[in-house]
Every structure is written in C-alpha cells, then in structure tokens.
Amino acid sequence: MTRNHADRLRDALPAENPAGTAGATEIPAGSKLSPQALQIASRLQKSVISPTVLAGTVRLADLAIVAAFGFASLNSGGVPLTSSTTLLPVATALILAAAFFQASDCYQIPVMRNIVAQGARITIAWTLVFVTLFMAKTFGNVMRGFEGDLLIIWYGFGLATLLTVRLIVSTFVRLWTRDGRLERRAVIVGGGQAAADFIHEIERQPNNDIRICGLFDDRKGDRSPDIVAGYPKLGTVSDLVEFARIARIDMLIVTIPLRAEKRLLEFLKTLWVLPVDIRLSAHTDKLSFRDRASSFIGTVPIVDVVLKPMADWDAIAKRGFDLVVASVLIVLLTPVMLATALAIRLDSKGPALFRQKRYGFNNEVIDVLKFRSMYHEMADPAAKKVVTRNDPRVTRVGRFIRRSSIDELPQLFNVLRGELSLVGPRPHAVNAHTNEKLWDEVVDGYFARHKVKPGVTGWAQINGWRGEVDTQEKIQKRVEYDVYYIENWSILFDIRILIQTPFALLKTENAY
C-alpha cells in the first residue's frame, strides 16, 4: 500500500517533545524558510546518537564484564590474579567473546533494539566461549590448575550480567529510535525522477537507518514537483544552508546525475561549508568507484564527496582531550588569571571580564570570555571598529595582555562549557570586517571554518596569522590555514599546535 507524503514525513521525523527543545538552536528572526521547512527544522534540533559510538560503547562494556567476572571468579577460588593461570583464560575469553559476539551480529542496532533477539545471540555466543575454554582445558592440556567449577561460576554470573546490561541497552535503543536519535538524517538535493528513484531504492533496503527529511532543489515545475516519492520540497539549495544551520542534519545526498557537472559543482560550492557528510547518488549512473571513494546504503552505491569532520569517536576523543587539558591549564594558570584581573581593576574602572558575540560551531553565536583590555566606556562588544596600533581605547594593561594573548585565557572556561575547543579556527566577532566588508563577503567559502568548534589557539595563529586583519590577504590566509587544520585534524596535530603556541606568542608585530 502506498503511503502519502504526510505518512512518510511522520515516519521520517522524531516525535515532538512536549517539554520543548531545551538548549536547541534558536530559529532566526526574519528567516526566509517556508513555514513547513521551519516546522521540520524545529523538530530536528535534538542531536543524534552515533550508532558507531553506541556499538563501540556496548562492545567495551561487554569486554569489561567478561574480564571483571573472570578475575572475580578465579579470585574466589584462590587463584592469584597475576598468575598465568588467571591471565591466560581471561585473555582467551576476551578474544573469543569479541570474535563470537561480532560474528553473532550482537552490535547491530536492529539486534540491540530487539530484547529476545539479542538475548538469544548473547547466550549462544557466550556459551560458545565457554565450550571453547572447556575444550582447551580438557583436550589441549592448557590452563592447568584452573578448576572447572570456576568456569561454571564465571559463565553463570557473566551471562546474567550480560543479559541484564543488554536489557537496559535495548530499552534505551528503542527509546532513542522512537525519538529519532539513532538514525542518520538525510536531505535530498535535487528533485524529479532521479530523486524519486533513489528514494524508492533506499526504502527497499532492509534495516535502513536513513531518514529522509525533505528535498531542496532550484528547479520548478514538472522537472521538480513539490512532492517527490511522498516527500515535500522544502526550498532551494540556498535555503538548505539556512535549514542545515537550524536542524541537526547528518547527510546531504545529491541526486543530480554526475554528467551534469556544472550544476553539480555549483551545488557543492554552496554546500561544502556545512558540517555534514555530502554524498552523490551513483545508482542511476551505473558507475564503479574505488572503495575509499564510495560507500553503500544497503546495496545502493553513493560517492563520498565531503565527510563530516571529527565525527563519532574522533569527536569524543577531542572533547575528552579538551576537558582534561583545559582543566589542568586552569589550575596551573589560576595565579596568572587572578593577577591579571587585579591589574585590570587597578588600572581602569569596570569589570575585569569582557563578553563578545562571536561565531561558534555551525555559525551559532556564542558569548566568548576575555579579559577586558579597553576602557570600559569605550568597549566595543560588537567589534564595529578594528583595534589598531596605539589605539586610544586600549588601556596600559590591555596592551600587554593583548600582545601576550593573556586576554584570551578566560576562554578556557568556554572550553569547559563546550562552546570552544582548545585548538581550532579562532572565533571571529560577528561583525568582523576589512575595508567595510564583512569577512564572509571577502573570502569565498569563509563559513567552512565553522564546520568545527572554534579554538583558543589555532594553526593559523601559530603560523603568524594573528592580530589585526587590515588586508584581504590576511583573512584569506587565516581561512586557508583553518581549512587545512579541519581537513588534517588529529590529536597529535592538536598537541603540536598547543606546544608551538607559547613560541608563536613571542611574535607580537601584528598583536596590539
């Protein structure tokens, strides 16, 4: 039976939250989006949960349970925990559990959603682990001194705990699925028959985790009708940029044929600044691509054009790194910050701290903390006038802390709040400009630097591109270095930048 577009939209969108969307992105005033697009975007503001991270977390929990009950069971039998009699069976059980659980598809989201299915798979896989251990003990003449009753204790308590944990996991997975947080939200770029064919192919895939939230296309009329395969067209490609700033979208799938090169490049030029995966539908072109350039949704091939930076475990690793290092730096630099605050208060009237509106991740406007470096009555929170050499608005203390970048230290608290990262493109003021032109008007693709959280320090800054921006070349170079950092990010790269930052601060010719 064919569903109408209302049914498909209802399936595609998460349930409305009666309590509202606390912490969600605010819908901008004067938005050009249609009421339908705004309604859909407002219901997509809750962030999704990465299936990769969820599966990895459950895997780690399983292995922790295996090891914990292995050591506990053996210790209850009087076996020393550091002996080979303990380490060998525990290590063997960990390897076997990882292999059998993976082979049993215990980490697939559809399996984790089903209590009975995952309970049966866990029981079978766990039993195979101990059958193998028992055979190794009995026939392989290994693990001598390891009593068989300890295996039974380990098996029983381990299985009970694994099943209990999986019951809890199943409860949450079903809840997150119902709320639309365990799916990849996709928007189709393009319309007409090509988009309809792709949507039909996607919907035929079993256990499909793609949820289409609408289509955007510049064409009108019969070539791009308002409803395609039951899904509404929400606006033009330029409207999509605003839509993706509001909604939490994971993927843009371009269904324009690859032979339409000029139109395709125009779309990609507009869309690549967004922090999302951009894929090209390849199913209608019948082309083959190298594995590293393509992926599949079920059996449907798509070409990976732009990948979302710092996703899944990379995002978790970077956030953990930020929290640990920022906390340590705050403790170590507290005397410096207290002395700076005191000097500011003694030097001029007004508060020690200053807040300025700046662009954060995905163009969200955040309040960045700084030590006040200007006279309070001359402060410029909107950054309407660039600070220049010997600027009369800057205090005596302000000149020193600006040259040394001590004025940026309060941003470590922005890092703890999750608004900034330690390393990333520096957050620019919303009105930052050169020669009366906003920087996004000066540099093509300027907003690509907002695909990740901004940083307290960055690759551009340690390469000399800090301080006053009085020429188009300077902002162009900043953006080039920022984009390079985003495309080549790693924890080691962050560490390198942090180590080089104090040395870069010795170059003060552009900082005043």
Side-chain angles (χ1 to χ4, degrees), residues 190-500:
Q193 193 58 45
D197 291 343
F198 178 80
I199 291 172
H200 292 319
E201 287 287 341
I202 291 295
E203 291 183 336
R204 280 197 287 265
Q205 303 305 308
N207 300 320
N208 170 35
D209 68 339
I210 298 293
R211 288 298 171 264
I212 298 170
C213 304
L215 298 90
F216 288 81
D217 193 3
D218 287 339
R219 299 175 301 172
K220 298 179 180 180
D222 295 338
R223 299 180 65 192
S224 181
D226 292 337
I227 301 295
V228 178
Y231 293 92
K233 185 170 70 174
L234 301 178
T236 64
V237 174
S238 60
D239 294 330
L240 174 55
V241 175
E242 181 181 348
F243 181 86
R245 298 292 190 201
I246 302 171
R248 301 288 186 178
I249 297 297
D250 302 300
M251 184 186 303
L252 305 181
I253 302 177
V254 182
T255 59
I256 300 168
L258 299 180
R259 58 184 178 272
E261 181 179 358
K262 182 177 179 181
R263 185 162 169 247
L264 193 59
L265 290 176
E266 290 176 353
F267 279 9
L268 294 178
K269 182 180 179 181
T270 302
L271 300 174
W272 79 282
V273 300
L274 296 172
V276 297
D277 291 336
I278 301 179
R279 311 288 176 87
L280 298 183
S281 166
H283 78 292
T284 56
D285 290 88
K286 309 300 181 185
L287 298 176
S288 297
F289 299 90
R290 292 173 297 174
D291 289 342
R292 65 189 180 94
S294 63
S295 57
F296 291 85
I297 301 174
T299 60
V300 181
I302 52 177
V303 184
D304 304 334
V305 180
V306 179
L307 297 180
K308 182 179 180 179
M310 303 179 200
D312 300 330
W313 286 108
D314 286 344
I316 292 176
K318 185 169 177 64
R319 180 59 180 153
F321 179 80
D322 284 345
L323 288 174
V324 172
V325 177
S327 299
V328 172
L329 289 177
I330 287 174
V331 172
L332 294 178
L333 295 173
T334 291
V336 176
M337 289 192 279
L338 290 176
T340 302
L342 179 61
I344 292 171
R345 293 300 302 272
L346 293 176
D347 183 51
S348 61
K349 297 179 180 179
L353 289 178
F354 175 74
R355 297 175 184 269
Q356 190 173 60
K357 300 288 185 183
R358 298 197 176 191
Y359 281 121
F361 170 70
N362 200 21
N363 273 33
E364 293 180 1
V365 177
I366 59 175
D367 285 323
V368 169
L369 296 174
K370 296 184 67 174
F371 280 122
R372 179 173 59 83
S373 58
M374 296 183 180
Y375 291 102
H376 181 57
E377 62 275 12
M378 298 181 182
D380 183 17
K384 294 181 179 179
K385 182 179 180 181
V386 177
V387 177
T388 58
R389 187 184 298 275
N390 299 320
D391 197 311
R393 299 173 297 168
V394 180
T395 66
R396 290 175 299 173
V397 172
R399 289 193 178 88
F400 173 75
I401 63 176
R402 290 178 71 91
R403 286 181 178 273
S404 59
S405 289
I406 291 176
D407 64 325
E408 312 285 358
L409 291 182
Q411 291 168 29
L412 292 171
F413 294 99
N414 285 111
V415 174
L416 293 185
R417 286 160 50 177
E419 297 165 333
L420 297 182
S421 182
L422 281 172
V423 180
R426 287 289 297 137
H428 292 160
V430 293
N431 289 311
H433 60 276
T434 296
N435 298 329
E436 303 302 323
K437 293 181 67 176
L438 294 174
W439 285 346
D440 62 294
E441 299 172 353
V442 173
V443 180
D444 193 26
Y446 170 81
F447 286 122
R449 65 193 304 279
H450 300 158
K451 293 166 74 170
V452 299
K453 288 182 183 178
V456 178
T457 184
W459 181 236
Q461 282 63 45
I462 69 168
N463 281 281
W465 302 103
R466 60 186 286 256
E468 183 184 9
V469 180
D470 53 359
T471 66
Q472 292 189 11
E473 180 195 11
K474 288 182 178 180
I475 184 57
Q476 180 72 50
K477 285 295 184 181
R478 277 197 188 187
V479 173
E480 288 178 6
Y481 276 87
D482 290 339
V483 172
Y484 176 87
Y485 166 79
I486 293 171
E487 294 178 347
N488 295 274
W489 172 85
S490 70
I491 289 293
L492 291 178
F493 197 8
D494 276 4
I495 293 173
R496 173 187 172 184
I497 293 172
L498 286 174
I499 292 174
Q500 289 185 241

